[in-house]
Amino acid sequence: MLGLTNKNEKALETMLFTIDQINPILSSTVGFTIGAHILDDCDKDTYGLEQAVAFVKGSISNIDDTDYKCLDGTVPDVRNKVISGVVGASSSVTSIQVANLLRLFRIPQVSFFSSSPELSNKQRFEYFTRTIPSDHHQVMAIVQMIRFLKWTYISILYEESTYGIKIHQLLAKVKIVEGFSLTRAVEMEKNFLFNSASVKRNVGGFE
C-alpha cells in the first residue's frame, strides 16, 4: 500500500526485484512462490483505509476458524486467498488507520517510512513493525547536533503534516530540558516547493 511518489516508486521496484530473486529459490525448495498486490493510497489516509477494507475481505481465513462451526459441529473449510502480510503504508497517518483494521484479522504489517512515535505502542499495534526509526530518535539526533554546535537560539521550518507537526511538538518539549530557545517556527504547506526564493516569498526569510 503506497502513495506513489518518487521515493515510494523506488521502494516498490526494490520489493518487486527482491520477489523476482527469491521466487525461483522458493519454488525449487519449498514448492511455492510469493506475490504482491500493489495499491496506491494516493497519500490519503481515508482512501488507504477504504482499500484496506476491500482487500482484507479476502483474508478472513486468517481468523481462527475454530471460532466457527457448521451445523454438524465440523469446522468450515474456508477457501480464500490468504494475505500473509501488508507492506506499507508510507504515511504514518495511513499506517495507523490500516493497522487498527489489520490487527482485527491478525495480519502483520511492515512499514518502511512511517515514523510516528504513536506506532511504537505495542498494546495498540501488536501486528505492526517498521524498518525506520521513530521520530523520537530523529529529534534526539537533531538535539545532539544543536548541543554539539552550542546553539542557543534556533528557528525551524516544518511541513504541515503529521510528521512535521509531531517533530515540532517533540522539539518544543525537549527545548525546556536542553536549554535552547525556539525563536521562530513556521508551518509550510505540504508538498511546498522548498528553495530560497520560495522561503523568502512565503515567510520572509530568517534573519
Side-chain angles (χ1 to χ4, degrees):
M1 180 171 289
L2 306 168
L4 289 181
T5 61
N6 184 50
K7 66 178 181 180
N8 289 337
E9 288 174 1
K10 292 179 180 178
L12 172 59
E13 290 293 341
T14 301
M15 183 181 72
L16 294 177
F17 174 79
T18 303
I19 290 175
D20 287 341
Q21 294 298 305
I22 66 176
N23 267 340
I25 301 174
L26 291 176
S27 179
S28 61
T29 56
V30 293
F32 67 84
T33 59
I34 60 175
H37 180 52
I38 312 300
L39 297 172
D40 183 3
D41 62 18
C42 300
D43 203 24
K44 296 180 180 178
D45 58 317
T46 52
Y47 185 57
L49 180 59
E50 289 175 9
Q51 289 190 318
V53 170
F55 75 72
V56 83
K57 289 178 181 178
S59 188
I60 60 172
S61 56
N62 281 38
I63 302 176
D64 188 356
D65 292 336
T66 59
D67 292 341
Y68 302 91
K69 302 289 185 181
C70 296
L71 292 178
D72 60 1
T74 60
V75 177
D77 182 16
V78 182
R79 297 182 181 274
N80 292 297
K81 178 185 284 187
V82 177
I83 299 173
S84 300
V86 172
V87 178
S90 57
S91 164
S92 291
V93 177
T94 305
S95 284
I96 289 171
Q97 293 266 27
V98 173
N100 281 323
L101 171 69
L102 297 182
R103 67 185 296 272
L104 302 177
F105 298 89
R106 303 173 188 173
I107 299 175
Q109 177 184 358
V110 180
S111 175
F112 48 93
F113 279 132
S114 297
S115 55
S116 171
E118 186 176 351
L119 288 163
S120 297
N121 186 340
K122 287 303 179 183
Q123 291 184 329
R124 285 187 59 196
F125 306 108
E126 64 267 45
Y127 292 96
F128 176 88
T129 189
R130 54 187 166 196
T131 59
I132 185 174
S134 163
D135 289 339
H136 173 76
H137 299 291
Q138 297 181 41
V139 168
M140 295 315 298
I142 294 173
V143 169
Q144 288 181 18
M145 181 185 70
I146 293 172
R147 188 188 302 149
F148 177 79
L149 295 172
K150 298 181 180 179
W151 291 344
T152 54
Y153 298 93
I154 65 170
S155 299
I156 62 172
L157 292 173
Y158 64 95
E159 183 184 73
E160 183 189 9
S161 65
T162 301
Y163 171 75
I165 293 171
K166 285 290 185 182
I167 290 289
H168 175 224
Q169 291 174 344
L170 288 171
L171 276 174
K173 290 181 180 179
V174 171
K175 73 173 184 178
I176 301 174
V177 177
E178 295 294 330
F180 62 84
S181 298
L182 286 176
T183 59
R184 190 176 182 188
V186 178
E187 184 179 278
M188 313 299 292
E189 291 183 6
K190 192 173 182 179
N191 300 322
F192 175 74
L193 180 59
F194 197 94
N195 55 53
S196 58
S198 59
V199 169
K200 289 180 180 179
R201 182 171 62 254
N202 285 274
V203 300
F206 287 99
E207 302 298 334

